[in-house]
Amino acid sequence: MQKLNRKTVQGIESYPEKVLQFGEGNFLRAFVDWQIDVMNKANLFNGSIVVVQPRGYEKVEKLNAQDGLYTLYLQGMKDGKPVKEHTLIQSINRGLNLYTEYEKYLELAQNPELRFVFSNTTEAGIAYQETDRLEDRPQKSFPGKLTAFLYHRFQAFNGDNSRGLIIIPCELIEKNGEKLKEMILQYAAAWNLGAEFVQWINDANTFCNSLVDRIVPGFPVDTITEMTEELGYQDDFVVASEQFYNFVIEGPQWIKEEFPTHLAGLDTMFVDDLTPYRTRKVRILNGAHTAMTPVSYLYGLETVAEAVEHPVMGSFIKELIFDEIIPTLDLPAEELASFAKDVLDRFRNPYIKHFLMSISLNSISKYTTRDLPSLLEYINRKEELPKKLVFSLAALIAFYKGKRGAEDINLSDDQDILEFFKTQWDSFDGSRESLKEIVRAVFGYEKNWGMDLNSVTGLTDAVTHYLYEIETKGMKQALETVLKEKTAR
């Protein structure tokens, strides 16, 4: 079978190199590169991507062997139905090996048509490396590499402000654009690059914060054989992704003129402040994941899809989101409801097996950042406790007992958290008062919560009540009880 490249596929378009991309991984190829491909095919962007591998070079060279081509499989819920489809992505022009082609990297900096920089170098990628030097070829850090690139562009165009770039990092950290800019300015100072370069960075370049959302499992190991037969060619860079995606860019509206995703019907937004969108994602998507996990797992389920499709657990999850999380958020109700519906569809995705135990990693700190704000804001707005969020907190404490019936739970968290919960549960004597002491101790662990949760009126007693129900009656009966409480209200 022929290998995928521009010789084996007819009709591949060539475009000017408008984008420098740090990161050759699955996510960017299924997210940014796919969007650029959609715009190219609609004659809206007419630009290609040059890819740099942040660390190493092996994948870039293998991608070059396919002339930058690869197949994207979109697998998930679309208009309420499971849909699997694929498309050939043609937006990458070439990859650069910085260890052997550094001069070509600097030549790219001299390209007047270059306009964008995208990156996804993991959360640890936007970091300052003191040992980096301007003369390194290449620098170790991503911000160091980009600073050297920008300085060369500044010199090549004699500080022309019209040759600045639009820089949109996609790393999953808050204020990613601002933090990247800070580090570039830090390198500019450390390398003595001069006040004029600093001024050019500030005036000519636009650094955008971003929020990205798409589940990308990556290379489909389990189904690659049947995919290859379907495609009729060998593709070593097939990437599988869910259908859903959302891209929020905090930056000036004029960027849309150069990156016209809206004209291609793409769900990419340019906003003045992405904070409410980040909060929406963290509270609804991530918050629901974290809140459902201990309840669903102790109920006897294994995956997110099983939980959402289950008649009892599915009701719990839906009520948790619509009745208790959404009322604490400030975006328009229709927009929140639409996003929540998409989240539930994503949870149902039959093509992605998302195990509850994989979500359970560091659940205590996750509850603190993802669910506790919703719980406290609900109390603030409604002057009563949100029953599902409180029940999930009780289930979380029960989960950290480390038992599902006679089965051990392989808890994964910081060692001090695990030791703390072991000490608490070792003291349990079966009584309600003993459970209340456990809850008091857990709530008083301010290092995690950032406060003493015992100070929240009624919360200690409510969680103790639900925890006693779980311990004495089991999760199934306890959950049915809390759902009936909602109905009776």
Side-chain angles (χ1 to χ4, degrees), residues 397 420 424 433-445 449 452-454 460-461 464:
I397 297 172
F420 172 80
Q424 300 310 314
E433 187 55 39
S434 178
L435 280 180
K436 190 168 187 176
E437 288 304 313
I438 291 174
V439 174
R440 282 182 180 141
V442 170
F443 282 6
Y445 196 69
W449 311 111
D452 185 346
L453 289 182
N454 291 295
T460 304
D461 287 339
T464 300

Side-chain angles (χ1 to χ4, degrees), residues 222-267:
D222 295 339
T223 56
I224 188 60
T225 300
E226 60 188 71
M227 286 181 176
T228 300
E229 291 178 1
E230 179 182 14
L231 295 171
Y233 53 76
Q234 180 187 339
D235 182 353
D236 295 334
F237 279 85
V238 172
V239 58
S241 163
E242 68 172 335
Q243 292 277 357
F244 178 91
Y245 67 97
N246 181 232
F247 197 9
V248 185
I249 300 170
E250 187 180 279
Q253 290 295 313
W254 58 260
I255 297 177
K256 288 198 295 187
E257 298 173 13
E258 298 190 51
F259 200 73
T261 51
H262 61 295
L263 297 179
L266 293 166
D267 188 17

